[in-house]
Amino acid sequence: MYLQHLELKQFRNYHHQEITFQAPKTILVGDNAQGKSNLLEAILLMATLRSHRVSRDRDLVQHEMPMAEIIAQVAKDHAPLELSLRLRQTSKRTLAINGVTQTKQTDFLGQINAVLFSCLDLDLVRGSPETRRNWLDLVLVQLEPVCLSLLQQYAKILKQRNALLKSIKANLAKPEPSSPADHLTPDLTQLALWDAQIVTVGTRIMRRRCRLLQRLTPLAQKWHNAISGGTETLTIQYQPKFPFTHDDPPELVQQRFLDTLHQKKHLEYYQGTSLVGPHRDEVILTINQTPAKEYGSQGQQRTLVLALKLAELELLELVLGQPPLLLLDDVLAELDLHRQDQLLGAIANRVQTVITTTHLGVFDAQWLDSANILRVENGRIIG
Ligand code: ATP
Ligand code: MG
């Protein structure tokens, strides 16, 4: 897969811009706030249908414009492919492949694959569990597009179940003349229906995430070993609210999920929210048996994130049979020479890479010679 051409219309600070990717490596250079990250965001959106920075489409549409459009031309399996994504201020997105509107997002996913590495990724180590869950889900969606609809279904179920738990909480707080069990009966009957749904869809997500980590971990360990010089041992574990392993059958995981819901029901009524499920799970990163966020220097944490990203790249390539696009947002300057070399060695000329930077000085001459350098200025690409 090779991204040949990108057209941005009223996307973020780009009014109308066309970019041709002439070499496997593109360097976008420009001052702060000119639109470098916006361009990478547009590419990532085509791969994952999600932005890594915002959740609402209206933030992506240029201020005071009704609609944005991203059009990508890709060479895939020797056939040209045109993908278009329209984002609107107030209504839904439209997706098209070769001019044909796609009703299912899952059909659009997988046409472009990309791995992004930005300074935000340092939050993978330091940030909240949600950051690590989102990262895992972004990889999942690219490997198995069906996961996008699972995640969307789950979000809906969770919202409804939480609304019901909130009303149970409020009802419990009200003084009731009749027995409390009576006035909760309709709510509890409805809750049982939501329980069945959260367990079914939640289990599918949890098992997929767990399987993904199972495949990602040895690759991340290999890269981590290479970059840290073999002095540190990385472990990665999926930590759900109840124990299961990647090879447990789904019925068993579902039963444990349901049992845990029953155990926690009073706490859920009391808190008015769902306490078990993939939205509460954690990915535990440890180095030499110490939680990574407490371990070592910022540099060591960066090594870990770099290892995770290279593992992500390698896994996508293994599964898809071709390397994904690599988007490096302002991270080269943050890495020391040894880590830069590791990264550049891993990319070689195989992986189409788009890199942003404020200074070309961070690149060695060999890189600059082989890359197409584009200057970004106030939402425009100038030569
Ligand atoms: P840095 O080097 O600081 O990372 P950058 O070149 O990556 O800078 P971007 O994040 O790509 O900068 O672009 C930021 C610019 O885009 C800001 O000036 C911001 O105001 C503008 N911008 C963001 N969203 C919109 C939007 N919806 N409409 C218009 N402009 C926007
Ligand atoms: Mg930026």
Side-chain angles (χ1 to χ4, degrees), residues 10-14 29-41 53 57-64 89 119 329-330 356-358 376 378-379:
Q10 288 130 50
F11 178 81
R12 294 274 201 191
N13 67 338
Y14 289 92
V29 58
D31 290 341
N32 295 133
Q34 301 303 307
K36 303 183 297 296
S37 301
N38 291 347
L39 205 154
L40 297 191
E41 186 179 35
R53 305 199 287 189
D57 282 359
R58 80 176 84 129
D59 297 319
L60 301 166
V61 178
Q62 190 158 55
H63 300 319
E64 293 169 26
Q89 282 280 0
C119 58
D329 197 3
D330 227 356
T356 73
T357 187
T358 46
V376 184
N378 196 17

Side-chain angles (χ1 to χ4, degrees), residues 235-294:
T235 55
I236 309 177
Q237 261 177 321
Y238 191 65
Q239 193 180 64
K241 292 286 172 202
F242 55 87
F244 73 90
T245 62
H246 68 279
D247 46 19
D248 282 342
E251 302 74 31
L252 182 72
V253 184
Q254 288 180 359
Q255 192 53 53
R256 292 220 183 114
F257 195 154
L258 199 61
D259 293 346
T260 316
L261 279 181
H262 290 155
Q263 278 162 22
K264 300 241 168 153
K265 68 179 179 191
H266 291 294
L267 205 55
E268 287 198 327
Y269 302 165
Y270 177 71
Q271 296 193 9
T273 192
S274 302
L275 299 175
V276 189
H279 67 292
R280 287 283 175 135
D281 292 349
E282 191 23 325
V283 177
I284 308 286
L285 303 167
T286 52
I287 302 172
N288 293 347
Q289 273 122 38
T290 308
K293 65 172 105 178
E294 292 161 25

Side-chain angles (χ1 to χ4, degrees), residues 10 32 176 298 318 361 371:
Q10 288 130 50
N32 295 133
E176 263 301 310
Q298 275 209 18
L318 273 172

Side-chain angles (χ1 to χ4, degrees), residues 40-329:
L40 297 191
E41 186 179 35
I43 301 175
L44 192 74
L45 258 167
M46 299 305 264
T48 62
L49 288 172
R50 287 208 206 184
S51 155
H52 60 300
R53 305 199 287 189
V54 293
S55 55
R56 299 180 312 184
D57 282 359
R58 80 176 84 129
D59 297 319
L60 301 166
V61 178
Q62 190 158 55
H63 300 319
E64 293 169 26
M65 293 291 171
M67 186 175 88
E69 185 169 15
I70 309 170
I71 303 167
Q73 262 143 29
V74 180
K76 198 172 182 189
D77 306 325
H78 310 292
L81 197 64
E82 186 182 272
L83 304 168
S84 112
L85 170 63
R86 287 186 178 169
L87 307 161
R88 296 180 174 82
Q89 282 280 0
T90 49
S91 60
K92 285 192 170 174
R93 315 170 155 189
T94 332
L95 318 168
I97 302 178
N98 291 335
V100 181
T101 305
Q102 305 289 308
T103 46
K104 283 199 265 161
Q105 298 200 39
T106 44
D107 292 337
F108 189 88
L109 284 170
Q111 304 296 339
I112 294 187
N113 293 100
V115 172
L116 171 80
F117 183 15
S118 81
C119 58
L120 288 179
D121 289 313
L122 290 175
D123 284 350
L124 266 179
V125 180
R126 296 194 299 242
S128 65
E130 192 183 4
T131 319
R132 286 176 285 283
R133 287 193 296 264
N134 283 341
W135 163 67
L136 216 49
D137 291 344
L138 272 182
V139 187
L140 257 189
V141 159
Q142 292 202 59
L143 284 174
E144 298 179 72
V146 62
C147 289
L148 183 72
S149 56
L150 284 180
L151 290 165
Q152 286 168 342
Q153 271 179 52
Y154 187 80
K156 275 190 203 150
I157 297 168
L158 187 64
K159 202 168 154 197
Q160 308 259 26
R161 192 174 183 274
N162 282 346
L164 183 61
L165 283 169
K166 216 167 147 189
S167 102
I168 292 177
K169 178 182 169 166
N171 282 337
L172 278 174
K174 272 190 226 150
E176 263 301 310
S178 60
S179 119
D182 284 350
H183 89 274
L184 280 184
T185 307
D187 282 351
L188 295 185
T189 312
Q190 216 193 337
L191 187 64
L193 298 175
W194 288 121
D195 285 357
Q197 295 201 39
I198 203 174
V199 162
T200 311
V201 181
T203 298
R204 292 181 72 189
I205 296 173
M206 291 163 88
R207 291 184 75 241
R208 280 178 167 79
R209 283 190 188 160
C210 192
R211 251 185 350 233
L212 170 62
L213 274 189
Q214 190 69 20
R215 303 175 78 179
L216 215 48
T217 301
L219 302 175
Q221 283 169 331
K222 181 192 78 182
W223 283 113
H224 191 260
N225 223 293
I227 308 168
S228 72
T231 53
E232 297 171 339
T233 311
L234 166 69
T235 55
I236 309 177
Q237 261 177 321
Y238 191 65
Q239 193 180 64
K241 292 286 172 202
F242 55 87
F244 73 90
T245 62
H246 68 279
D247 46 19
D248 282 342
E251 302 74 31
L252 182 72
V253 184
Q254 288 180 359
Q255 192 53 53
R256 292 220 183 114
F257 195 154
L258 199 61
D259 293 346
T260 316
L261 279 181
H262 290 155
Q263 278 162 22
K264 300 241 168 153
K265 68 179 179 191
H266 291 294
L267 205 55
E268 287 198 327
Y269 302 165
Y270 177 71
Q271 296 193 9
T273 192
S274 302
L275 299 175
V276 189
H279 67 292
R280 287 283 175 135
D281 292 349
E282 191 23 325
V283 177
I284 308 286
L285 303 167
T286 52
I287 302 172
N288 293 347
Q289 273 122 38
T290 308
K293 65 172 105 178
E294 292 161 25
Y295 185 90
S297 66
Q298 275 209 18
Q300 280 164 317
Q301 295 182 357
R302 242 174 233 142
T303 300
L304 171 52
V305 177
L306 181 58
L308 294 177
K309 288 286 148 184
L310 290 174
E312 190 182 327
L313 182 89
E314 198 176 347
L315 184 63
L316 281 171
E317 184 174 359
L318 273 172
V319 174
L320 306 169
Q322 46 195 334
L325 271 159
L326 181 63
L327 312 172
L328 299 174
D329 197 3

